[in-house]
């Protein structure tokens, strides 16, 4: 009898947790200056050396470390991405999505399918945004994870859309300003407004340091209002967090604040009408929205319907963009 490929998926939680533990205890950072033994690494990471040795052997199979001698391990090129602060780091993403809170939420998916109610609030007692707002360390991990993802997709977004067309760009829910900083660097004549809750903006002054003369940081709840006067309002990975009613509320607030001729730019992955294996990423993101926020990934027609319900007309549904299949949907007031 042939081995089912489904078994690799059944045991997929094992490498996910191995990566999470490696990121959480800082294995990559401890190996940054060269190979070390398990005892040396245990001393730096505050762990039990014999147990850590067994994890290190496992990490060799994930191409995170290389076993140079029986008990001597070095960081690989891929393992460098688990270092805090590395240019292409995914450490915060690993800590967020393989951490205990997201882990418990996905573990409650069966109840979500039975009730239609997203799991996060049922599991934690708070909405995800209330949850991360309540703890500075969790908030920092969430914000850094979002910044890591944005660094990966920002070049494709900027290549696909001419942001230099706008005098002022407002990035709503823009976190630490990673995307806005990239837009302003690429468009020297453009000014920017970074809009988010205070906890999301904590690291923004450092990120926007080199464009600070053209960037305004605006603490704001976009469900209440958004700053007036921008020529373009950017919503990257924002609308998918919310159901249609809440997403339309955000869009209506954008419309109320817009100058004549203003635009809203929706930067999102797009769900295909017919799913193929190439769409695995967006389908999994959609399931994550199902259990974590009550939001959803949307198809092209669903985006058009949502925009029209809030008083917009789509101008250019563009994309997909490498590497994450993002689309730039430009819309104007109807």
């Amino acid at each position: 009898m042939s081995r089912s490929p489904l078994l690799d998926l059944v045991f997929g939680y094992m490498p996910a947790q191995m990566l999470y533990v490696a990121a959480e205890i800082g294995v990559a950072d401890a190996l940054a200056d060269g190979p070390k033994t398990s005892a040396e690494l245990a001393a730096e990471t505050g762990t039990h050396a014999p147990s850590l040795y067994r994890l290190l052997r496992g990490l060799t199979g994930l191409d995170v470390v290389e076993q140079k001698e029986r008990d001597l391990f070095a960081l690989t090129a891929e393992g460098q991405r688990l270092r805090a602060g590395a240019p292409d780091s995914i450490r915060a993403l690993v800590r967020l999505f393989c951490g205990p809170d997201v882990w418990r939420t996905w573990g409650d998916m069966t109840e979500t399918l039975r009730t239609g109610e997203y799991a996060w609030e049922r599991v934690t007692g708070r909405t995800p945004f209330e949850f991360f707002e309540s703890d500075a360390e969790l908030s920092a991990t969430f914000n850094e994870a979002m910044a890591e993802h944005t660094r990966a997709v920002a070049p494709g977004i900027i290549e696909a859309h001419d942001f230099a067309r706008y005098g002022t760009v407002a990035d709503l829910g823009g976190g630490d300003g990673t995307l806005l900083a990239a837009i302003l660097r690429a468009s020297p004549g453009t000014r920017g407004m970074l809009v988010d809750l205070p906890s999301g903006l904590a690291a923004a002054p450092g990120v926007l340091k080199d464009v600070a003369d053209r960037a305004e940081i605006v603490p704001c709840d976009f469900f209440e209002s958004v700053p007036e006067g921008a020529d373009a309002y950017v919503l990257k990975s924002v609308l998918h967090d919310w159901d249609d009613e809440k997403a339309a509320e955000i869009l209506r607030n954008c419309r109320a604040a817009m100058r004549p001729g203003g635009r809203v730019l929706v930067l999102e992955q797009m769900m295909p009408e017919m799913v193929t294996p190439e769409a695995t990423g967006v389908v999994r993101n959609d399931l994550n929205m199902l259990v974590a926020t009550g939001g959803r990934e949307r198809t092209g027609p669903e985006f058009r319907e949502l925009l029209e319900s809030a008083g917009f007309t789509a101008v250019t549904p563009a994309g997909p963009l490498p590497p994450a299949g993002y689309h730039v949907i430009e819309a104007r007031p109807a």
Side-chain angles (χ1 to χ4, degrees), residues 10-49:
V10 168
F11 297 110
Y13 70 91
M14 294 181 179
Q17 277 298 292
M18 289 160 63
L19 290 174
Y20 168 73
V21 172
E24 183 69 12
I25 67 176
V27 167
D29 291 309
L31 284 171
D33 56 355
K36 289 184 173 67
T37 66
S38 57
E40 291 169 331
L41 287 169
E44 290 195 39
T45 59
T47 55
H48 178 243

Side-chain angles (χ1 to χ4, degrees), residues 128-148 150-151 171-180 193-208 216-222 238:
F129 298 100
E130 290 170 343
F131 184 84
F132 288 112
E133 279 275 313
S134 70
D135 186 289
E137 183 177 353
L138 289 172
S139 180
T141 298
F142 175 83
N143 291 329
E144 180 55 30
M146 297 303 100
E148 288 174 356
T150 298
R151 279 194 288 272
D171 186 4
L172 305 185
D176 70 357
T178 294
L179 178 60
L180 184 62
M193 291 189 285
L194 179 64
V195 182
D196 209 327
L197 296 172
S199 61
L201 297 169
V207 173
L208 294 170
E216 180 184 3
I217 297 173
V218 185
C220 184
D221 182 344
F222 50 47
V238 169

Side-chain angles (χ1 to χ4, degrees), residues 206-289:
V207 173
L208 294 170
K209 170 172 62 175
D210 63 316
V211 291
D213 60 327
R214 293 184 286 128
E216 180 184 3
I217 297 173
V218 185
C220 184
D221 182 344
F222 50 47
F223 284 114
E224 296 179 0
S225 65
V226 301
E228 295 182 351
D231 301 292
Y233 289 86
V234 172
L235 294 162
K236 178 202 162 287
S237 302
V238 169
L239 298 184
H240 78 160
D241 286 333
W242 307 99
D243 61 23
D244 286 350
E245 181 180 351
K246 286 288 192 181
E249 187 177 343
I250 297 168
L251 289 168
R252 283 193 293 269
N253 284 340
C254 291
R255 195 179 190 286
M258 272 185 180
R259 291 173 174 169
R263 294 289 188 266
V264 64
L265 304 176
V266 177
L267 314 183
E268 296 270 5
Q269 291 183 302
M270 194 175 289
M271 181 71 74
E273 295 284 353
M274 298 295 293
V275 172
T276 63
E278 290 75 21
T280 296
V282 67
V283 170
R284 290 180 180 173
N285 285 343
D286 180 59
L287 289 170
N288 190 53
M289 295 301 103

